[in-house]
């Protein structure tokens, strides 16, 4: 014998057809009321809305998306959600697409290629309308499957080498490094160490290239002993800075340029653990360093990306592409790489030694 609980049965969601039968109206009338169409009497609309609440109506988004050929969702995949840069970019994207009825789904790969592949597969199965990707897999990324199937994809931070045209929104990373190195040279520094990211990624490669090229432009020989690489984590910055300091007697330097926020904090920690002062003993310039509360002393001179602007620009491009999807214009004929300007924010972490 089956026993039914009244309380439990109230939680079971009803369909539009069932609600229409209970109210003795057509399914189309209920549907118009649900979707806020104007040609429904106000009295009828109120009856329907009360019934929706009473009978626990939950829209079938899967069925709706199949019918409309759109889930109104955008997938965003980043390597580290804890980085302020990505958080602000995501905020900018949401500000652009949310008013148009789109929701976002965010995935964090933790700088892991297998995680990235897993989330890209999952979002593809979820039938997202578009994808925003800061990839850590520049050669075999699953994003090419999205592009080939007509799903708009916009890359941020890193740009992969694919056999199809790509769209991206980034800053000019080489120019950012040029601004840093020229600022340090202008303050008398010639022995400048650098902690870069992976040169297998476009971001890491371009920042180190900008560093190298600018030194050469000013007649300064590039010293390979003053170059270290990390994976953008605080521990990497600490380790690289330790190596510089342990080797300082043989390879002296007066300033260090650190190409990510978390590595900057790691490098600062190492400098202080060695009993050295910023900027009296070592000058430091960071990248994307945020300190809204003003608790970091001395304040850090840093390159700043226009994070929210990157996000809103990405959102605008997505909306433009999604709007053209019905015209079979969702695929690109050529690369569309948008470069935004970096800014050098001057703090107190660089000493003039002229």
């Amino acid at each position: 014998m089956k026993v039914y609980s009244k309380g439990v049965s109230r939680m079971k969601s009803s369909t539009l057809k069932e609600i229409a039968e209970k109210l003795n109206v057509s399914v189309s009338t209920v549907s118009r009321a649900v979707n806020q169409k104007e040609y429904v009497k106000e009295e009828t609309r109120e009856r329907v809305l009360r019934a929706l609440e009473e009978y626990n109506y939950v829209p079938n988004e899967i069925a709706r998306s199949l019918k409309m050929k759109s889930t109104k969702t955008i997938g965003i995949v980043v390597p580290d959600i804890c980085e302020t840069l990505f958080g602000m970019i995501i905020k900018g994207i949401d500000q652009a697409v949310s008013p148009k009825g789109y929701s976002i789904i965010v995935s964090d790969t933790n700088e892991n290629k297998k995680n990235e592949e897993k989330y890209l597969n999952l979002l593809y199965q979820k039938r997202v309308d578009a994808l925003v990707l800061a990839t850590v897999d520049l050669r075999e990324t699953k994003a090419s499957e999205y592009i080939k199937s007509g799903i708009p994809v916009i890359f941020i931070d890193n740009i992969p080498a694919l056999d199809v045209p790509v769209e991206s929104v980034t800053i000019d990373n080489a120019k950012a490094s040029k601004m840093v190195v020229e600022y340090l040279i202008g303050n008398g520094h010639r022995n400048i160490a650098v902690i870069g990211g992976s040169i297998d990624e476009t971001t890491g490669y371009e920042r180190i290239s900008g560093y190298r090229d600018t030194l050469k432009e000013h007649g300064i020989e590039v010293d390979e002993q003053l170059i270290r690489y990390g994976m953008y984590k605080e521990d990497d910055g600490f380790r690289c800075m330790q190596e510089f300091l342990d080797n300082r007697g043989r390879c002296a330097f007066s300033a260090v340029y650190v190409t990510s926020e978390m590595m900057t904090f790691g490098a600062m920690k190492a400098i202080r653990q060695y009993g050295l002062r910023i900027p009296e003993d070592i000058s430091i310039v960071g990248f994307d360093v945020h300190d809204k509360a003003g608790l970091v002393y001395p304040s850090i001179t840093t390159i700043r990306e226009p994070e929210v602007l990157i996000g809103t620009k990405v959102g605008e491009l997505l909306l433009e592409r999604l709007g053209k999807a019905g015209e079979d214009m969702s695929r690109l004929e050529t690369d569309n790489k948008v470069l935004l300007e970096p800014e050098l924010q001057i703090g107190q972490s660089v000493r003039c030694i002229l």
Side-chain angles (χ1 to χ4, degrees), residues 7 18 26 32 34 85 128 150 153 156 168-169 194 198 203 208 234 260-261 275-276 287-288 307 316-317 322-324:
E18 290 171 337
S26 68
R32 287 196 296 271
V34 169
L85 166 69
V128 294
V153 177
I156 56 174
S168 61
V169 180
V194 63
S198 171
T203 297
I208 290 295
E234 185 176 328
S260 85
E261 180 180 47
L276 300 173
F287 210 108
D288 288 326
E307 299 102 341
E316 290 167 0
L317 288 174
L322 290 167
K324 293 179 179 179

Side-chain angles (χ1 to χ4, degrees), residues 176-289:
S177 289
K178 181 180 180 68
M179 294 166 68
V180 170
V181 175
E182 289 191 335
Y183 176 74
L184 289 170
I185 292 173
N187 278 277
H189 299 275
R190 294 181 67 82
N191 298 316
I192 303 168
V194 63
I195 300 176
S198 171
I199 57 172
D200 291 331
E201 299 178 3
T202 54
T203 297
Y205 175 80
E206 290 169 359
R207 291 176 190 176
I208 290 295
S209 294
Y211 161 85
R212 290 178 179 275
D213 292 344
T214 308
L215 287 178
K216 292 175 183 177
E217 288 174 11
H218 288 266
I220 301 173
E221 184 178 352
V222 177
D223 188 342
E224 297 298 329
Q225 295 185 76
L226 291 180
I227 302 176
R228 293 287 186 277
Y229 299 97
M231 289 303 296
Y232 307 105
K233 303 298 184 183
E234 185 176 328
D235 288 347
D236 294 319
F238 186 88
R239 171 184 55 79
C240 292
M241 196 70 235
Q242 272 189 317
E243 293 174 6
F244 284 143
L245 295 173
D246 288 341
N247 195 42
R248 201 178 184 195
R250 296 182 297 276
C251 190
F253 62 96
S254 60
V256 60
Y257 165 40
V258 191
T259 62
S260 85
E261 180 180 47
M262 299 310 295
M263 291 198 300
T264 301
F265 291 141
M268 293 172 63
K269 185 177 180 180
I271 291 170
R272 286 169 177 163
Q273 283 197 8
Y274 274 66
L276 300 173
R277 300 165 299 165
I278 301 171
E280 291 83 356
D281 299 309
I282 297 176
S283 294
I284 187 169
V285 178
F287 210 108
D288 288 326
V289 176

Side-chain angles (χ1 to χ4, degrees), residues 33-287:
V34 169
N35 292 291
Q36 302 294 313
K37 300 298 185 181
E38 294 181 359
Y39 39 89
V40 178
K41 292 181 179 179
E42 190 59 33
E43 178 185 351
T44 303
R45 187 192 309 278
E46 290 178 1
R47 286 181 61 212
V48 170
L49 294 179
R50 284 197 301 269
L52 293 177
E53 184 176 357
E54 180 180 355
Y55 297 109
N56 193 35
Y57 170 70
V58 178
N60 188 335
E61 294 296 341
I62 295 176
R64 179 179 292 181
S65 67
L66 289 172
K67 182 179 179 180
M68 302 299 294
K69 295 184 179 181
S70 170
T71 60
K72 300 295 283 187
T73 57
I74 294 170
I76 303 176
V77 180
V78 297
D80 189 352
I81 194 66
C82 292
E83 288 194 24
T84 307
L85 166 69
F86 293 120
M88 297 299 288
I89 291 176
I90 291 169
K91 182 177 182 179
I93 294 171
D94 188 54
Q95 288 177 345
V97 303
S98 182
K100 301 299 182 179
Y102 286 91
S103 299
I104 61 175
I105 302 175
V106 181
S107 300
D108 183 340
T109 68
N110 195 32
E111 299 279 359
N112 185 286
K113 292 182 181 180
K114 289 185 178 179
N115 286 344
E116 180 176 307
E117 182 177 354
K118 177 183 72 174
Y119 288 127
L120 289 178
N121 285 332
L122 177 63
L123 292 171
Y124 194 84
Q125 292 168 12
K126 295 288 186 183
R127 302 172 63 92
V128 294
D129 292 341
L131 175 70
V132 180
L133 175 60
T135 184
V136 295
D137 188 356
L138 298 182
R139 293 179 177 85
E140 302 297 332
T141 178
K142 301 283 288 185
S144 59
E145 295 182 12
Y146 283 72
I147 297 171
K148 290 174 182 177
S149 67
I151 299 173
V153 177
I154 297 183
F155 294 94
I156 56 174
D157 199 44
N158 284 310
I159 306 172
L162 302 179
D163 60 354
V164 291
V166 298
E167 189 159 29
S168 61
V169 180
T170 65
I171 65 162
D172 188 332
N173 284 290
K175 182 175 182 178
S177 289
K178 181 180 180 68
M179 294 166 68
V180 170
V181 175
E182 289 191 335
Y183 176 74
L184 289 170
I185 292 173
N187 278 277
H189 299 275
R190 294 181 67 82
N191 298 316
I192 303 168
V194 63
I195 300 176
S198 171
I199 57 172
D200 291 331
E201 299 178 3
T202 54
T203 297
Y205 175 80
E206 290 169 359
R207 291 176 190 176
I208 290 295
S209 294
Y211 161 85
R212 290 178 179 275
D213 292 344
T214 308
L215 287 178
K216 292 175 183 177
E217 288 174 11
H218 288 266
I220 301 173
E221 184 178 352
V222 177
D223 188 342
E224 297 298 329
Q225 295 185 76
L226 291 180
I227 302 176
R228 293 287 186 277
Y229 299 97
M231 289 303 296
Y232 307 105
K233 303 298 184 183
E234 185 176 328
D235 288 347
D236 294 319
F238 186 88
R239 171 184 55 79
C240 292
M241 196 70 235
Q242 272 189 317
E243 293 174 6
F244 284 143
L245 295 173
D246 288 341
N247 195 42
R248 201 178 184 195
R250 296 182 297 276
C251 190
F253 62 96
S254 60
V256 60
Y257 165 40
V258 191
T259 62
S260 85
E261 180 180 47
M262 299 310 295
M263 291 198 300
T264 301
F265 291 141
M268 293 172 63
K269 185 177 180 180
I271 291 170
R272 286 169 177 163
Q273 283 197 8
Y274 274 66
L276 300 173
R277 300 165 299 165
I278 301 171
E280 291 83 356
D281 299 309
I282 297 176
S283 294
I284 187 169
V285 178
F287 210 108

